[in-house]
Amino acid sequence: MKNPMRVAVTGAAGQISYSLLFRIASGDMLGKDQPVILQLLEITPAMDALRGVVMELEDCAFPLVAGITTSDKPEVAFDKADVALLVGARPRGPGMERKDLLEANAAIFSEQGKALNAVASRDVKVLVVGNPANTNSLIAQRNAPDLNPRNFTAMTRLDHNRALAQLAGKTGASTTDIKKMIIWGNHSATQYPDISQAMVKGDAASGLVPRDWYESDFIPTVQQRGAAIIKARGASSAASAGSSAVDHIRDWVMGTPDGDWVSMAVPSDGSYGIEKGLIYSFPVTCKGGDYSIVQGLEVDDFSRERMQVTEQELREERDGVAHLLP
Ligand SMILES: NC(=O)C1=CN([C@@H]2O[C@H](COP(=O)(O)OP(=O)(O)OC[C@H]3O[C@@H](n4cnc5c(N)ncnc54)[C@H](O)[C@@H]3O)[C@@H](O)[C@H]2O)C=CC1
Ligand SMILES: O=C([O-])CC(=O)C(=O)O
């Protein structure tokens, strides 16, 4: 039996966690042979609700759950954490952009970055889900100077999966037939879902769909999918977000398949001319618990322009929270 891994989850009594925790506990994220200790963080007024979630986790009798702790203190929840899923933050409502949440949510991530710095495993893998995810991840990273900055990431896997689903629907393929999808940039309406490298059953996707559909339907649909779900459901996407968080961590820890890649928002190393340090979504491959940005892709003028628009938005978000970036 493997030693248990410690998985910290914030916002553990919220919507996303209500799906995510059960997927982690069943082994979907770290493997069916990997025991987990769940270390759950909530704000004080939500501790009762969290107690209810823990009762349900217990009632599932998941064989892989080696322990569950709850706390309203980040230094307790992050203690020796191997994986930290930072989900807890206010969601947006109708008519809001995700960056409208920056003021409400940014302080959470500076506090949690400091706590991770103090008590988490030195190899902790951090995924920020709470919006605006990229900039919140930057805030946490900059407040954790003793941790490897590369270990701070943000979630664009939901956008990646949404793009796979749209292209699969249009081409009559299944999502597993599609390789090499890319989401560039911010998890926001400026993100650039790019099919220029994508293959459907071995054929270039760009040759299978009309250019007009790609530019006027596919790109805006993926960019606006979060808002469409809020409009339809009256609440932001939760189960699909939880599922994509499982995908993000699973692939980071266990690796991506040969011949394919995934999208992760990671600290830019200057690849593709994107300003170093911004938490920007790139195509990445994962191996041995580490990720690498895919190099050498050709970028045409159409793509370059869109990659720069979303980069500029991330710069503006960063500059707006300069007071939280030591
Ligand atoms: N990156 C992505 O693709 C996606 C991100 N999101 C974002 O995820 C976040 C959470 O969404 P939901 O679960 O639907 O919201 P929710 O409101 O149902 O749950 C959030 C939970 O976080 C808790 N919380 C607030 N401040 C906290 C703190 N300082 N420490 C610990 N817990 C705290 C709240 O008490 C609440 O239980 C939102 O910001 C949402 O916009 C949602 C979907 C996709
Ligand atoms: O749209 C929202 O506010 C929630 C979210 O991030 C998404 O569904 O992609």
Side-chain angles (χ1 to χ4, degrees):
M1 200 64 169
K2 291 179 168 175
N3 283 332
M5 285 178 73
R6 293 177 178 275
V7 181
V9 181
T10 75
Q15 277 206 92
I16 293 176
S17 290
Y18 194 61
S19 159
L20 171 64
L21 290 173
F22 297 83
R23 298 279 307 278
I24 300 170
S26 71
D28 286 350
M29 187 171 86
L30 294 169
K32 300 286 180 188
D33 60 346
Q34 176 60 63
V36 291
I37 297 173
L38 297 172
Q39 304 187 167
L40 310 180
L41 181 69
E42 257 299 346
I43 53 172
T44 316
M47 290 309 280
D48 260 345
L50 181 57
R51 223 161 35 81
V53 176
V54 171
M55 287 191 262
E56 286 205 66
L57 281 164
E58 289 168 355
D59 295 349
C60 293
F62 287 118
L64 292 171
V65 175
I68 305 177
T69 66
T70 62
S71 181
D72 55 3
K73 296 182 184 58
E75 297 74 19
V76 175
F78 295 153
D79 189 33
K80 301 186 190 67
D82 301 298
V83 174
L85 300 169
L86 307 190
V87 179
R90 221 180 98 188
R92 66 174 166 154
M96 291 171 79
E97 287 300 331
R98 296 184 187 92
K99 65 183 163 202
D100 299 336
L101 295 167
L102 202 46
E103 208 171 307
N105 289 340
I108 297 174
F109 293 87
S110 67
E111 187 199 5
Q112 293 184 356
K114 291 186 178 82
L116 286 164
N117 194 54
V119 301
S121 157
R122 298 302 86 181
D123 298 319
V124 63
K125 288 180 162 54
V126 182
L127 169 62
V128 175
V129 174
N131 279 318
N134 302 51
T135 299
N136 287 338
S137 184
L138 182 70
I139 294 168
Q141 180 212 55
R142 296 275 280 270
N143 282 278
D146 303 332
L147 297 175
N148 184 344
R150 283 175 51 81
N151 286 2
F152 286 79
T153 68
M155 193 164 89
T156 50
R157 185 60 177 270
L158 179 53
D159 310 291
H160 183 100
N161 289 343
R162 287 167 171 164
L164 292 177
Q166 291 300 316
L167 184 60
K170 182 68 177 175
T171 57
S174 75
T175 53
T176 51
D177 293 327
I178 302 174
K179 312 284 179 230
K180 301 189 174 174
M181 182 59 74
I182 307 176
I183 304 295
W184 299 100
N186 199 3
H187 174 64
S188 76
T190 67
Q191 68 177 269
Y192 171 42
D194 175 8
I195 66 162
S196 65
Q197 307 293 326
M199 308 292 285
V200 183
K201 292 188 195 157
D203 294 323
S206 53
L208 298 174
V209 296
R211 182 78 195 176
D212 180 53
W213 174 82
Y214 172 54
E215 289 185 21
S216 314
D217 192 333
F218 173 84
I219 293 176
T221 297
V222 176
Q223 289 174 329
Q224 295 294 337
R225 188 68 160 183
I229 287 165
I230 292 170
K231 189 155 178 264
R233 216 172 80 84
S236 66
S237 40
S240 55
S243 192
S244 298
V246 165
D247 290 346
H248 177 113
I249 296 290
R250 185 198 58 230
D251 290 346
W252 188 0
V253 172
M254 311 227 251
T256 44
D258 285 344
D260 201 5
W261 59 55
V262 294
S263 301
M264 282 170 62
V266 302
S268 173
D269 60 359
S271 292
Y272 299 98
I274 302 305
E275 185 177 330
K276 224 173 151 175
L278 291 174
I279 309 274
Y280 189 97
S281 181
F282 290 98
V284 304
T285 55
C286 304
K287 200 175 177 180
D290 199 5
Y291 62 80
S292 328
I293 296 172
V294 175
Q295 297 298 318
L297 301 176
E298 220 174 283
V299 173
D300 64 13
D301 290 346
F302 180 86
S303 293
R304 173 66 56 201
E305 191 188 321
R306 280 157 186 76
M307 287 161 68
Q308 286 174 345
V309 166
T310 191
E311 177 191 19
Q312 180 55 25
E313 183 183 43
L314 281 170
R315 276 202 206 101
E316 287 164 12
E317 287 184 18
R318 176 199 59 197
D319 294 347
V321 294
H323 58 293
L324 293 171
L325 302 176

